[in-house]
Amino acid sequence: MNTLASYTTLIEKEIESFSFPQSPVNLYDPLRYFMTLGGKRMRPMLTLMSGKLFGKTSEESMSAAMAVELFHNFSLIHDDIMDEAPLRRAKATVHEKWNTNIAILSGDVLFVKAYEQICKHPAHLIPSLLALFNKTAIEVCEGQQMDMDFETRNDVSAEEYIEMIRLKTSVLLGCALEMGAIIGETTAENRQALYAFGEHLGIAFQIQDDLLDLYGDPDKVGKQVGGDVLANKKTLLSILAKTYASTEQLNALDLLQSEVNADKKLSETKTIFEALQIQQRCQEEMRKHYDFAMNALATVQANNSIDELSTLANYLFHREY
C-alpha cells in the first residue's frame, strides 16, 4: 500500500504542475476544477509500473501516463453529460457547475491535451503509442454507445454486458499497461501479456463495482447503496437475475422496476438475488477474469519484479470501495 501511495503522490504532483491557460476562463477553469477532484489514478499508475518493469523511470513514462489520465477524465466529463449525473466524486459535475456546452468543449480540450502528452515521447515511439491510443479511444466510445443502447433493451445477455465493460472500461487499462511496455521497448509478447492483464483486471474491477453498489458498506463506498437497483440500471447482477429467474421471479422483478418505495425495492430485489445466488455468481465471474489477468501477468519476461503490479491487482480485487 505504501508503494501505491507513493505513485499516487507522484501522479498528483504531476497533475498539479499542469499549466492550463488563464483564458478563456470558462474553458480552462472547469479543467482545473475537474482534474483536482481526485480519484484512484489507477490508469497512470499502471503505465508507470509497466515502464518500470523494463528499466524506465517514472519521468520517462510520465507523459504517456498523463495522456491516459487526461483521456480518462475527458471521457468522464462527457459520460456525466450523457448520464445527466449531478455529482462526480461527491462534487458537482462540470455540466452542473457550469453548463453542458462548456462541459463538452472543456472535455474536447482534454482529449487534445492527451495527444500533446503522447507527442512528448521520443519520435520513434510515437507511431506505436498513437496507434494504440487511437484504437483504444474508438473502443471506449463503442463501449459507451453499447451501454446507452442497453438502456432500451430487455434482452441484454451476460456476454454482451461483459463485452460492453471490456470496451468501456477495460481496454483503457490494457492501453495504459501496453504504453509502458512500448516505452520500455520490450517484446510484442510482453506487450500482449500486459494488455491482457489490464483487460481482464478491468473486467473484474467493473464487476466488483456492480457488487459494491448493492452489497458495499455505504460509509466506505461513499454513496447510497443500491443506486443501480433504484435507477433500474442494467448490471451483471440484474442480467444474471433475469437469466436464472423463474417466471414468478421475473414477474416480481418487473413489478419492482416501478416500485417507488426505495427500501421495499432494495429489500425485495436483494431477497430475489439471494434466492438465485446472484452475488456468488458475480463473484465467480469476477474471480475468473482476475485469474486470467494474473496468469497473463505471470508470463511477462522483465528485468524487474512484477510484484508492484501484483500488489495493485490484489488491492483492486479485494477493495471495499
Side-chain angles (χ1 to χ4, degrees), residues 67 70 110-120 130 133-134 137:
L70 288 169
L110 276 191
F111 199 175
V112 177
K113 289 289 184 183
Y115 280 107
E116 280 187 356
Q117 292 294 315
I118 290 172
C119 291
K120 290 181 179 180
L130 282 178
F133 183 77
N134 289 340

Side-chain angles (χ1 to χ4, degrees), residues 33-34 37 85-88 90-98:
Y33 166 77
F34 197 76
L37 289 185
L87 299 175
R88 168 68 64 179
K91 300 287 187 180
T93 49
V94 172
H95 69 276
E96 282 287 324
K97 191 172 175 66
W98 281 271

Side-chain angles (χ1 to χ4, degrees), residues 178-227:
E178 189 174 350
M179 278 189 161
I182 290 170
I183 293 163
E185 300 188 69
T186 186
T187 64
E189 290 77 13
N190 279 340
R191 284 176 54 176
Q192 291 165 7
L194 283 165
Y195 185 92
F197 166 66
E199 189 175 44
H200 287 287
L201 184 63
I203 293 171
F205 177 85
Q206 185 58 53
I207 296 172
Q208 178 78 314
D209 258 9
D210 288 356
L211 286 165
L212 287 172
D213 183 84
L214 186 58
Y215 297 105
D217 181 339
D219 291 334
K220 293 180 179 178
V221 175
K223 61 180 180 179
Q224 179 186 25
V225 168

Side-chain angles (χ1 to χ4, degrees), residues 9 33 48 107 126 135 137 154 182 185 192 205 222 254 277:
T9 300
Y33 166 77
L48 299 184
I126 292 175
K135 171 178 174 289
N154 294 316
I182 290 170
E185 300 188 69
Q192 291 165 7
F205 177 85
D254 286 342
Q277 297 183 305

